[in-house]
Amino acid sequence: MGDKANGHPGAAGRAATADHPASVRNVVLVGHSGSGKTTLVEALALTAGAVNRAGRVEDGTSLSDYDEIEHRQQRSVQLSLVPVEWGGYKINLLDTPGYADFVGELRAGLRAADAALFVVSAAEAPETMAGATRMVWEECAAVGMPRAIVVTHLEAARSDFAEMTRTCARIFGGDDPDAVLPLYLPLHGAPASDGHAPVTGLIGLLSQRLFDYATGERKESEPGEEQQPAIEAARNRLIEGIIAESEDETLMDRYLGGADLDFKTLVEDLERAVARGVFHPVLAAAPAAEGARQGIGTVELLELITGGFPTPLEREAPAVSTLGGTARTVKACDPDGPLVAEIVKTASDPYVGRVSLVRVFSGTLRPEETVHVSGHGLADRGPDGRALHESDERIGALSAPFGKQQRTLTHCIAGDLACVAKLNRAETGDTLSAKDDPLLMAPWDLPDPLLPLAIQAHSKADEDKLSQGLARLVAEDPTMRLEQNQDTHQVVLWCLGEAHADVALDRLRSRYGVQVDVIAHKVSLRETFAGKSAGRGRHVKQSGGHGQFAICEIEVEPLPGGSGIEFVDKVVGGAVPRQFIPSVEKGVRAQAARGVAAGYPLIDVRVTLLDGKAHSVDSSDAAFQTAGALALREAAADATIHLLEPVAEVQVLVGDDYVGAVMSDLSGRRGRVVGTEQAPGGRTLVRAEVPEIEIGRYAVDLRSLSHGTARFDRGYARHEPMPPQLSERIREQAQNTP
């Protein structure tokens, strides 16, 4: 792996179709934004022959020309697939965004892949490594993803491979820093005028061979005498690290006894340790020399992928059940088994329409077949989940992306990835299975979007297209949640951050032709009575013909939180006829829903009907409804009305270095810290109760406050009275609003 003979690059322009899962490698590139993932994908594609020296495929586009929005944003904003061939293997390279707002794309990549290349920049500051980069590492660890580390940007001044390797071992190694060790050492050329010695090649520690890229082609030779001491020290530590994770307990005894372990044994043990996710080799990568076909370290990476990373056969498939919920055992990655595939990403193409990226876990997917599509939808965050949706759909053409082209595939076997066009009723996270044997896969977890974006159509023409555009947007991106708030009558897109919101607005405008305006987000407030009050509703009109007559007297008193509206009838002597008492209640409840002070629903009160008057001819249901509403309004006019604001239970997971700043910030938001507890990895979980009106932008502010190292969850706790000054200001705004 990396020290073996060179692989044979695949022909540019050919879409590979895998014939056996053992010949497939699904690799996701992950890392912090700016670490060089997309550049590394292009370098690997160049070495494998998928692109030419200018980094272009046959249609003239770059492999990074995934999305025009991506170019405007100056960052990767979506998961992208680049399939290449190397040494008889098909390698599906999945490039993920590194920015925290697009963690949903990262998790989709982890779902589709079997191993990860964790990309770090040699020019990255240690504090960045300890923060946002560690969070990405933990995303991989949470799903048990085997990982190797690639150090990029070695050409940068002040880059230091040895120091970055030590940093990675300290941050990612946890209790076992020897689980993160270099597999190669960089070979440096003559120092430049600024003193920086460029990387010209690599030294293989296991093979003790030198791989020189200085001429533009990889050349193998013996290391010089001056390099032997550094090689020997690093090699011994690497061998000890491999043996420590070996399943062969005799290896350590043989090594300590002075036995010379052969190269093949070490490589096989290394491969097993990497596949099990207990050892993380560190490799190096640098740009290709001018006119070169191979970037430094790309051959070694491709050989690690094909020789050291697990095959799809070694991955345990997610849980599968029937549509009725009965567990179903499906043989892992069997091309001849029942069809079980999953949509890991949904995108829109202006010419093709909806395009679904599918990972096949069992069976074989073929064009022109009819499959059963089923799922609950990943975008739902409701307390009761979402009802199962299902339909039969016909598979159109299968394809693999190359630049902006889609190249046709004849089939897609278990373990492989393919793009499927025009699955019009399928969503991200849905399961594809045989029509006569419908199955359902357990979904993966996605973060809850916590940044509200209230929008409205810019014009009448936009209003006609808005609902369809929003539906497509949410179907594409399950980390986005659409809310039609019945209290505030606002359309709210819940996003993961500002960049996520910007991309959503950009896609609405450019893909679906919908122009929207962003408006202030409103919080669902409530009203209640502070004490007892009485009111009399008199609705008497006579205007020729049939008149209207209804009088009722009520008493209103506050109830404990969560009681709602309670209506009590205490009329005696038939002052209000029995048939009109429900009318009074209906009028009271209708007025309560409209509010009595600032236009927010009234809650947690008991309304008691005490007395009234009726007319044998002019009294009616409508008249007593109006009288009930008038009585409640009169009672409110003589009472103190509290505005109630929703309070959220907030849990913030933050590094110990930022706990004080976070707690101080929560206090400044009128929050009450109710407890803290120590969490693994030098972090603290802070629990607090904070008014929702104060945390509308907390997703953005917390990221800034903690340098991207903290995350939070929130849930509704209760409504409670607002401070008088704030309450009065909201009342004034309501009165001045036409």
Side-chain angles (χ1 to χ4, degrees):
M1 51 190 302
D3 295 325
K4 302 175 184 176
N6 284 357
H8 301 288
R14 182 157 55 90
T17 300
D19 294 317
H20 193 276
S23 66
V24 178
R25 298 293 184 274
N26 298 309
V27 181
V28 61
L29 283 85
V30 299
H32 187 55
S33 182
S35 59
K37 298 182 296 298
T38 301
T39 302
L40 183 58
V41 167
E42 293 179 341
L44 292 170
L46 173 64
T47 297
V51 296
N52 59 31
R53 292 186 180 184
R56 300 278 159 178
V57 295
E58 286 180 345
D59 63 356
T61 62
S62 166
L63 284 175
S64 60
D65 289 342
Y66 304 124
D67 192 333
E68 60 179 334
I69 295 172
E70 187 165 326
H71 292 296
R72 290 197 294 271
Q73 294 284 331
Q74 297 291 304
R75 63 168 75 93
S76 294
V77 299
Q78 63 177 354
L79 175 70
S80 303
L81 170 64
V82 178
V84 301
E85 290 181 81
W86 180 261
Y89 295 89
K90 180 184 180 184
I91 305 173
N92 291 313
L93 298 171
L94 292 151
D95 184 16
T96 63
Y99 198 67
D101 279 12
F102 307 104
V103 67
E105 302 286 320
L106 167 64
R107 293 189 183 178
L110 295 178
R111 181 72 160 200
D114 304 309
L117 284 177
F118 197 88
V119 185
V120 299
S121 170
E124 215 166 349
E127 56 268 22
T128 304
M129 287 286 297
T133 305
R134 184 172 67 179
M135 293 185 71
V136 180
W137 179 270
E138 290 173 353
E139 289 280 347
C140 298
V143 296
M145 183 67 65
R147 282 147 285 162
I149 299 168
V150 186
V151 180
T152 59
H153 295 157
L154 292 173
E155 73 282 3
R158 299 186 303 278
S159 64
D160 190 330
F161 177 81
E163 180 58 34
M164 180 52 67
T165 300
R166 287 191 290 270
T167 300
C168 289
R170 174 173 53 84
I171 295 173
F172 305 142
D175 297 332
D176 186 12
D178 285 341
V180 179
L181 292 170
L183 197 56
Y184 297 87
L185 296 179
L187 177 68
H188 294 276
S193 57
D194 61 357
H196 177 67
V199 175
T200 58
L202 300 173
I203 302 170
L205 293 178
L206 292 183
S207 65
Q208 302 183 84
R209 302 291 291 173
L210 187 150
F211 304 100
D212 194 349
Y213 287 81
T215 61
E217 295 292 334
R218 183 178 186 257
K219 293 183 178 180
E220 184 177 339
S221 62
E222 293 278 350
E225 287 293 331
E226 71 281 1
Q227 295 159 334
Q228 287 297 338
I231 293 174
E232 184 175 355
R235 185 174 190 271
N236 288 340
R237 190 178 178 198
L238 174 62
I239 291 174
E240 291 171 5
I242 294 172
I243 292 173
E245 303 297 342
S246 174
E247 295 175 328
D248 184 352
E249 297 179 357
T250 67
L251 275 184
M252 182 61 77
D253 293 336
R254 288 158 54 192
Y255 177 70
L256 295 176
D260 187 15
L261 302 180
D262 63 278
F263 173 75
K264 182 180 178 182
T265 299
L266 290 172
V267 169
E268 288 176 349
D269 262 61
L270 173 61
E271 291 171 352
R272 283 192 289 267
V274 171
R276 284 171 27 234
V278 296
F279 188 81
H280 312 293
V282 183
L283 296 91
E290 186 67 30
R293 189 180 62 81
Q294 296 173 342
I296 296 172
T298 53
V299 171
E300 288 74 17
L301 279 170
L302 289 168
E303 291 178 348
L304 170 69
I305 290 169
T306 55
F309 276 176
T311 72
L313 293 165
E314 299 171 69
R315 177 178 179 179
E316 183 178 346
V320 178
S321 67
T322 65
L323 301 190
T326 303
R328 177 78 174 271
T329 301
V330 176
K331 185 179 177 181
C333 211
D334 180 7
D336 298 320
L339 177 64
V340 181
E342 185 174 41
I343 297 173
V344 294
K345 177 177 173 58
T346 307
S348 292
D349 185 279
Y351 304 105
V352 180
R354 184 176 292 191
V355 178
S356 303
L357 177 60
V358 175
R359 162 77 190 248
V360 181
F361 288 92
S362 173
T364 300
L365 193 63
R366 292 185 172 88
E368 310 304 324
E369 287 187 344
T370 299
V371 300
H372 192 79
V373 180
S374 55
H376 294 280
L378 292 176
D380 183 66
R381 300 293 189 281
D384 302 319
R386 204 165 97 189
L388 177 72
H389 63 266
E390 50 180 323
S391 62
D392 289 338
E393 295 220 41
R394 183 171 168 271
I395 297 293
L398 300 181
S399 61
F402 277 83
K404 289 188 175 180
Q405 291 184 346
Q406 293 286 337
R407 296 183 176 166
T408 303
L409 298 174
T410 59
H411 61 275
C412 182
I413 65 168
D416 203 358
L417 298 166
C419 292
V420 183
K422 298 181 180 179
L423 290 176
N424 295 322
R425 283 169 288 185
E427 301 178 9
T428 300
D430 281 359
T431 303
L432 308 183
S433 55
K435 183 173 67 169
D436 57 354
D437 187 17
L439 298 171
L440 189 64
M441 298 184 71
W444 70 90
D445 291 330
L446 284 176
D448 199 12
L450 296 171
L451 179 67
L453 185 73
I455 58 174
Q456 63 183 18
H458 183 70
S459 66
K460 181 64 171 68
D462 294 311
E463 189 173 335
D464 295 337
K465 298 181 289 184
L466 181 60
S467 60
Q468 185 179 20
L470 289 173
R472 290 181 178 179
L473 193 69
V474 173
E476 280 186 29
D477 187 352
T479 61
M480 194 172 293
R481 178 163 56 91
L482 178 62
E483 177 192 6
Q484 306 266 1
N485 194 296
Q486 298 302 313
D487 292 332
T488 64
H489 308 291
Q490 286 188 323
V491 176
V492 183
L493 269 178
W494 288 85
C495 306
L496 294 175
E498 285 186 309
H500 194 208
D502 290 344
V503 168
L505 296 177
D506 210 346
R507 284 180 176 158
L508 274 177
R509 180 172 56 254
S510 60
R511 288 188 183 176
Y512 308 121
V514 182
Q515 187 80 26
V516 298
D517 298 323
V518 178
I519 58 178
H521 176 246
K522 296 180 181 178
V523 172
S524 300
L525 303 180
R526 297 288 187 268
E527 301 173 358
T528 195
F529 278 62
K532 277 189 178 184
S533 182
R536 185 172 189 265
R538 184 177 186 276
H539 184 60
V540 178
K541 288 189 177 180
Q542 187 69 46
S543 55
H546 197 67
Q548 298 180 55
F549 187 96
I551 298 174
C552 62
E553 296 180 6
I554 64 171
E555 182 182 72
V556 184
E557 56 187 317
L559 291 177
S563 301
I565 302 289
E566 182 181 327
F567 184 83
V568 178
D569 170 25
K570 286 190 176 181
V571 175
V572 294
V576 177
R578 305 308 303 169
Q579 70 268 28
F580 293 134
I581 290 175
S583 303
V584 176
E585 180 178 0
K586 186 183 289 187
V588 166
R589 291 187 181 277
Q591 184 62 52
R594 293 190 295 268
V596 294
Y600 296 102
L602 178 71
I603 61 171
D604 301 337
V605 293
R606 177 186 292 121
V607 179
T608 303
L609 177 60
L610 301 173
D611 200 0
K613 292 182 181 180
H615 189 277
S616 58
V617 176
D618 292 342
S619 290
S620 65
D621 170 65
F624 271 99
Q625 284 191 47
T626 302
L630 290 171
L632 185 61
R633 283 159 55 182
E634 183 177 290
D638 294 334
T640 299
I641 304 298
H642 282 161
L643 279 187
L644 305 178
E645 59 181 340
V647 175
E649 292 179 337
V650 175
Q651 299 183 60
V652 185
L653 186 63
V654 60
D656 292 344
D657 292 342
Y658 300 103
V659 170
V662 165
M663 294 176 68
S664 175
D665 178 71
L666 289 172
S667 297
R669 297 172 186 270
R670 298 191 284 124
R672 296 183 294 272
V673 176
V674 296
T676 62
E677 59 186 74
Q678 204 62 36
R683 289 176 295 185
T684 299
L685 184 67
V686 179
R687 302 179 187 275
E689 294 180 345
V690 191
E692 287 190 10
I693 202 169
E694 301 286 350
I695 55 173
R697 288 182 51 83
Y698 194 55
V700 177
D701 298 337
L702 179 63
R703 187 174 297 165
S704 174
L705 186 68
S706 66
H707 298 277
T709 64
R711 58 176 179 265
F712 81 104
D713 297 310
R714 59 184 278 187
Y716 172 77
R718 62 187 174 277
H719 274 74
E720 63 181 33
M722 299 180 78
Q725 307 92 322
L726 184 56
S727 177
E728 189 59 35
R729 188 162 69 243
I730 290 177
R731 278 199 184 92
E732 291 175 0
Q733 291 173 354
Q735 292 169 359
N736 295 330
T737 301

